Amino acid sequence: MSAKNKPGSSMLWDEILKAIVDAMPEQLFPLFKELYGKEYPRGTPITLLATESSTYRENPDAPPGSRLCDIALLVNGTDYYHLECQMRNDQDMVIRMVAYDLHFAMQHTTSGEQNLDGLVMRFPRSAVIYPEKNNRIPDALRCRIIFQDGSEHIYQIPTVRIQSYSLEEIQEKHLNLFLPYVLLRLRPRLNPKRKFPLTKNELTAFVDKVMIILKDEVEQGYLTEQEYDDYVNLFRRAAEKIFEKHADFYEEVDRMTKPLIELPSVLQKRLYAEIDSLNANKKALIADNETLLANNETLIADNEMLTADNEMLTADNEMLTIDRNALAVELADKNAELARMRALLEQHHIPVNA
């Protein structure tokens, strides 16, 4: 088992990123603007892509295998992105990114139309997100690739070092998806032997700034109330992990982020809003019921008309049956008269034509 997948290591931080992307993928738009200068309006279509894919195309003779990346998505039907969350400064990460992106390109972007240069394969816009502070993480991961014809290419992947962004920068650029990770910058100061260990007052001030940012994002329309609640829950999960051995700090975060007791006036306002919503739903249901009743009456009228038509058809059928029987009797009489006349002619030896 890799270090990344060991319980209690970086799994939580991976899952936080995946939870944000799964529940509110548009929160990635400010990050794409920060990294690539790409801007997408709210409501731009986003498709989350499968993160596990077969390695069969790389080597059909090898045993079955697969690759699993963190985040893969398609924006606006044209732009592919691949994101990885990495806690450690792994020197081999750039090699893994080359492998991920090559396989991603083979799976999603290889063009089936051949031109003068053959097939076309486009790599996704990729980035590696580092939640924890590490001064040795470069601005970009680079790998010098030398092809068989001697040509060279520097494969470069930008890095996102969350802890290099101040809370002010996060707020200014609306990089809200960084907020569940910002408590990680305080973790080194939990050691009481440090020259300036973390104090409760500092933690309180820090958490207060985070909560103000989230509330301001709601007021400006960058977050919905539900997204605000989701971020607060993720922030609490992060605090639970970071302060698992520091109960007093976790209790302070818990106190500042848990739902407050509702005042009677606030409760009354919320209940009135719920009553208005219920009344609106009731009116809509009544309108729907009236429409259904009208449709039912129309169906009943149509059924009555069909029944009348059916009765008329039945009467017509009975008349036709009577007429048919009368014709049959008349035909029988005619046949009997013809037989009598034929017999009379034969009696007097008069030839009878058929």
Side-chain angles (χ1 to χ4, degrees), residues 93-305:
M93 188 62 196
V94 67
I95 301 299
R96 296 208 304 275
M97 291 299 292
V98 171
Y100 286 147
D101 288 349
L102 175 61
H103 204 273
F104 186 104
M106 288 193 296
Q107 184 177 9
H108 295 291
T109 67
T110 301
S111 173
E113 298 181 3
Q114 291 191 350
N115 54 28
L116 296 177
D117 298 322
L119 293 174
V120 176
M121 185 167 58
R122 293 180 175 84
F123 278 53
R125 293 184 175 93
S126 298
V128 181
I129 299 174
Y130 290 90
E132 202 157 32
K133 185 176 182 179
N134 187 329
N135 294 329
R136 292 176 297 174
I137 298 173
D139 295 336
L141 305 180
R142 296 177 179 86
C143 178
R144 182 182 175 208
I145 301 175
I146 303 176
F147 293 95
Q148 70 275 14
D149 61 358
S151 61
E152 298 184 11
H153 180 79
I154 302 298
Y155 197 77
Q156 183 168 292
I157 303 292
T159 62
V160 180
R161 297 165 295 169
I162 291 178
Q163 304 310 330
S164 68
Y165 288 80
S166 67
L167 292 182
E168 290 74 19
E169 287 177 306
I170 291 174
Q171 182 176 18
E172 178 186 350
K173 298 179 179 181
H174 310 292
L175 294 167
N176 300 311
L177 64 91
F178 291 177
L179 292 176
Y181 300 98
V182 293
L183 286 173
L184 281 167
R185 67 187 60 181
L186 304 179
R187 187 155 65 176
R189 297 181 58 197
L190 294 177
N191 185 348
K193 296 181 180 180
R194 289 182 65 98
K195 185 176 181 180
F196 299 106
L198 182 66
T199 66
K200 192 172 182 179
N201 288 339
E202 288 177 306
L203 176 63
T204 301
F206 188 85
V207 175
D208 187 55
K209 288 181 181 179
V210 172
M211 299 303 291
I212 289 174
I213 291 173
L214 287 172
K215 292 174 183 177
D216 186 62
E217 290 293 277
V218 173
E219 291 177 0
Q220 293 187 53
Y222 291 101
L223 289 178
T224 65
E225 291 287 351
Q226 181 60 58
E227 290 169 342
Y228 170 87
D229 291 338
D230 289 341
Y231 269 119
V232 172
N233 286 329
L234 292 173
F235 188 80
R236 289 167 60 84
R237 288 288 303 276
E240 183 179 5
K241 176 62 180 176
I242 293 170
F243 301 125
E244 60 184 346
K245 296 180 181 179
H246 302 268
D248 54 336
F249 287 152
Y250 176 70
E251 289 173 2
E252 179 65 7
V253 176
D254 180 67
R255 179 190 67 80
M256 297 183 67
T257 57
K258 69 182 178 181
L260 299 176
I261 298 174
E262 284 186 309
L263 295 174
S265 59
V266 177
L267 177 61
Q268 184 184 52
K269 183 179 179 181
R270 181 172 62 81
L271 290 176
Y272 280 153
E274 291 177 0
I275 291 172
D276 290 342
S277 177
L278 290 172
N279 286 332
N281 291 336
K282 181 181 177 181
K283 289 180 181 179
L285 289 173
I286 291 173
D288 290 342
N289 186 56
E290 291 176 349
T291 301
L292 289 173
L293 288 174
N295 291 338
N296 186 54
E297 291 175 355
T298 302
L299 289 173
I300 291 173
D302 291 343
N303 185 58
E304 291 175 349
M305 291 182 64

Side-chain angles (χ1 to χ4, degrees), residues 40-53:
Y40 301 100
R42 198 169 183 86
T44 300
I46 302 172
T47 303
L48 300 182
L49 304 175
T51 57
E52 185 171 10
S53 55

